[in-house]
Amino acid sequence: MTDAIDRSDQPSAPQRRRITTSDGIELDAALIRGGAERTTAVVLANGFTGTWRNPANRMIAQRLLPVGDVLGFDFRGHRSSGGRCTVGNLEVHDLQAVCAHLREQGYARIASVGFSMGAAVVVRHAAGFGGVDAVAAVSGPGLWYYRGTRRMRLLHLGVERALGRWFLRAARKVRVIDSQWDPVPPDPTEMAADLAAPLLVVHGDADTYFPVEHAERIHAAAPGPKDLWIEPGMGHAERAMTPERAERLAQWLARRLPGGGETAPSAGSGG
């Protein structure tokens, strides 16, 4: 049973933003504000082909609003954002630009929450750039080029073959690079050792992309404070998040952020 969270503040409609990265890529973003002026923000980093417009992302944003204002954005190469997707490499610059934008807007505390590809990005960003106060990685890979599941073998075909990239562009509105990484960046497990912010790793035991060993690797590598949730029956990334799971995530963020977030849940059992 989870704690009740106060939702008395009425959220705003998404406020569209265009945010430019250090390498000149324009990102499509949307900020949802709570009913009062706040100094805490939560950034949602989507999985590959994901967008802040998806119903699952909107539900998660609503459940996290008691912690702070929520900014969702589309990674480079996704929908209305510029550039081409690098599937987790240069996307750290996208997250850095979003966090810098929030700091410029007066937010003193920032948490980053990532799903799948976005989970890899939030870990790498927090370790390499810093500047965030809490990190949650949901359904993320622990190492690059994993092909141990059918879903990941199909994903690699999609990004490595010209026909697959055409399908992604036509059907999912995602433009992917047609070259290999050079150099190959450190993977999330390697980077986790350099984390200075509290880390939550969430993974489903029914994930069809990455087995739970990926989550266990990242959690073991992180210095702490850290928490690992292996969720029974949970699938992959945003679509596997239920309102109850999103609320537990909000409770964890409220406990871990300096000052306890904007509207801390009552003391109790969650997570």
Side-chain angles (χ1 to χ4, degrees), residues 45-266:
N46 300 318
F48 180 58
T49 77
T51 171
W52 64 264
R53 301 170 181 81
N54 282 344
N57 296 70
R58 301 287 284 271
M59 179 277 291
I60 295 165
Q62 292 292 325
R63 299 288 168 159
L64 298 184
L65 268 177
V67 179
D69 296 341
V70 179
L71 191 144
F73 70 99
D74 289 351
F75 279 118
R76 61 182 62 204
H78 286 63
R79 293 184 174 248
S80 297
S81 291
R84 290 190 293 171
C85 176
T86 67
V87 202
N89 182 11
L90 298 181
E91 282 75 12
V92 292
H93 299 292
D94 302 353
L95 184 53
Q96 174 64 5
V98 167
C99 290
H101 173 79
L102 289 170
R103 295 289 185 193
E104 291 168 2
Q105 299 299 306
Y107 291 98
R109 297 177 295 273
I110 298 174
S112 57
V113 179
F115 302 88
S116 194
M117 181 185 82
V121 173
V122 298
V123 171
R124 293 185 58 234
H125 170 264
F129 288 85
V132 292
D133 300 287
V135 181
V138 183
S139 304
L143 68 162
W144 302 136
Y145 304 117
Y146 178 74
R147 300 171 189 261
T149 59
R150 179 177 178 274
R151 294 271 189 177
M152 285 305 297
R153 289 191 290 272
L154 288 173
L155 187 147
H156 278 89
L157 287 174
V159 300
E160 292 174 351
R161 304 285 182 88
L163 181 60
R165 292 191 295 272
W166 173 85
F167 174 82
L168 287 168
R169 186 170 61 251
R172 304 302 294 270
K173 299 182 181 179
V174 177
R175 306 170 304 281
V176 183
I177 58 169
D178 58 4
S179 58
Q180 296 290 322
W181 291 344
D182 185 20
V184 176
D187 67 31
T189 300
E190 295 175 84
M191 294 297 287
D194 295 325
L195 281 171
L199 172 68
L200 171 63
V201 182
V202 182
H203 213 91
D205 66 4
D207 193 311
T208 55
Y209 286 80
F210 306 112
V212 296
E213 287 82 2
H214 286 256
E216 292 167 345
R217 284 167 56 97
I218 295 171
H219 179 260
K226 58 185 177 179
D227 292 287
L228 174 64
W229 298 351
I230 303 300
E231 295 289 296
M234 178 179 167
H236 186 69
E238 298 99 318
R239 291 185 178 181
M241 289 292 288
T242 62
E244 184 272 341
R245 287 185 180 121
E247 288 195 0
R248 288 175 56 217
L249 175 54
Q251 293 159 14
W252 184 90
L253 290 171
R255 291 195 299 268
R256 289 299 191 180
L257 284 168
E262 299 288 351
T263 305
S266 58

